[in-house]
Amino acid sequence: MPIMAKTKNKEKSKVSVFLNEFVRIKDVIGWSLISFVGFILGITVLSFDIYLIPFLVFIICILCLTSFTFAINNYFDADSDKENPRRKDINAIASGHISKNTGIIIILLLAIIPLLISFFYKIEVFFFSGFLLFFSWSYSAPPLRLKGIPIMDVIWHFLGFFFGIIWSS
């Protein structure tokens, strides 16, 4: 029994590392709550059955899209975070808890899931999801890497907030 307990704790720690150090779940939830407020503001009828499917699509997609944003940021910041003692332990790739190969697989899954769901839901949601993925990628990934341009960093965060509200309505 003790061997199983150790294995279970080890798996739990991997999940914890993934959630806390790769997708930064606290930040994902915070940014997703902004979109949730937009979803609530878009409700025009108090009828649960009308909003059930849109809400499920919204929740799954916004969590994946926001997780993608933080994961891709950690992926491209891994080398610089590895050199920074304050950042090393909060980036799963920089600390060595997750390999770059594992990171890219997770990033691809976080991109594919909302695209597939939104494609089968509504084509305009699919295109908006694709736009949000590109928008998130452009913040962290070369050659654009907008986070490296001070004024673009501020504009990107404002637009990220705005698009989060738009996404949900």
Side-chain angles (χ1 to χ4, degrees):
M1 192 68 145
I3 293 172
M4 290 181 76
K6 285 183 181 180
T7 305
K8 188 175 181 180
N9 288 339
K10 197 174 193 180
E11 287 178 22
K12 193 173 187 178
S13 68
K14 287 181 182 180
V15 170
S16 175
V17 164
F18 166 74
L19 291 174
N20 294 316
E21 296 178 23
F22 192 63
V23 297
R24 295 176 21 205
I25 194 67
K26 289 178 185 176
D27 295 328
V28 166
I29 291 171
W31 277 86
S32 296
L33 284 175
I34 293 167
S35 294
F36 181 72
V37 169
F39 188 89
I40 297 298
L41 292 174
I43 293 177
T44 57
V45 179
L46 291 176
S47 178
F48 183 72
D49 59 330
I50 293 172
Y51 291 103
L52 180 61
I53 298 299
F55 183 70
L56 290 174
V57 168
F58 162 73
I59 287 294
I60 294 168
C61 290
I62 199 65
L63 288 174
C64 285
L65 291 165
T66 309
S67 295
F68 171 87
T69 303
F70 285 103
I72 200 160
N73 187 55
N74 278 341
Y75 181 85
F76 284 104
D77 284 356
D79 292 334
S80 63
D81 286 352
K82 197 179 290 187
E83 303 301 319
N84 184 343
R86 292 181 299 154
R87 302 284 308 161
K88 181 180 180 183
D89 292 331
I90 59 173
N91 182 329
I93 295 173
S95 66
H97 291 128
I98 294 176
S99 71
K100 280 202 163 196
N101 288 338
T102 301
I104 201 69
I105 290 168
I106 294 168
I107 289 167
L108 289 172
L109 285 173
L110 290 171
I112 291 168
I113 291 168
L115 288 175
L116 280 175
I117 290 171
S118 62
F119 179 78
F120 290 109
Y121 176 64
K122 286 185 181 175
I123 197 69
E124 59 268 16
V125 176
F126 169 76
F127 285 120
F128 194 64
S129 293
F131 167 75
L132 290 177
L133 287 167
F134 174 77
F135 183 71
S136 296
W137 170 84
S138 70
Y139 179 72
S140 299
L144 296 178
R145 197 157 167 83
L146 299 176
K147 75 181 282 178
I149 306 167
I151 191 73
M152 292 306 294
D153 184 53
V154 172
I155 291 170
W156 188 93
H157 280 86
F158 171 78
L159 289 174
F161 176 81
F162 177 73
F163 291 144
I165 299 292
I166 296 296
W167 160 258
S168 59
S169 55

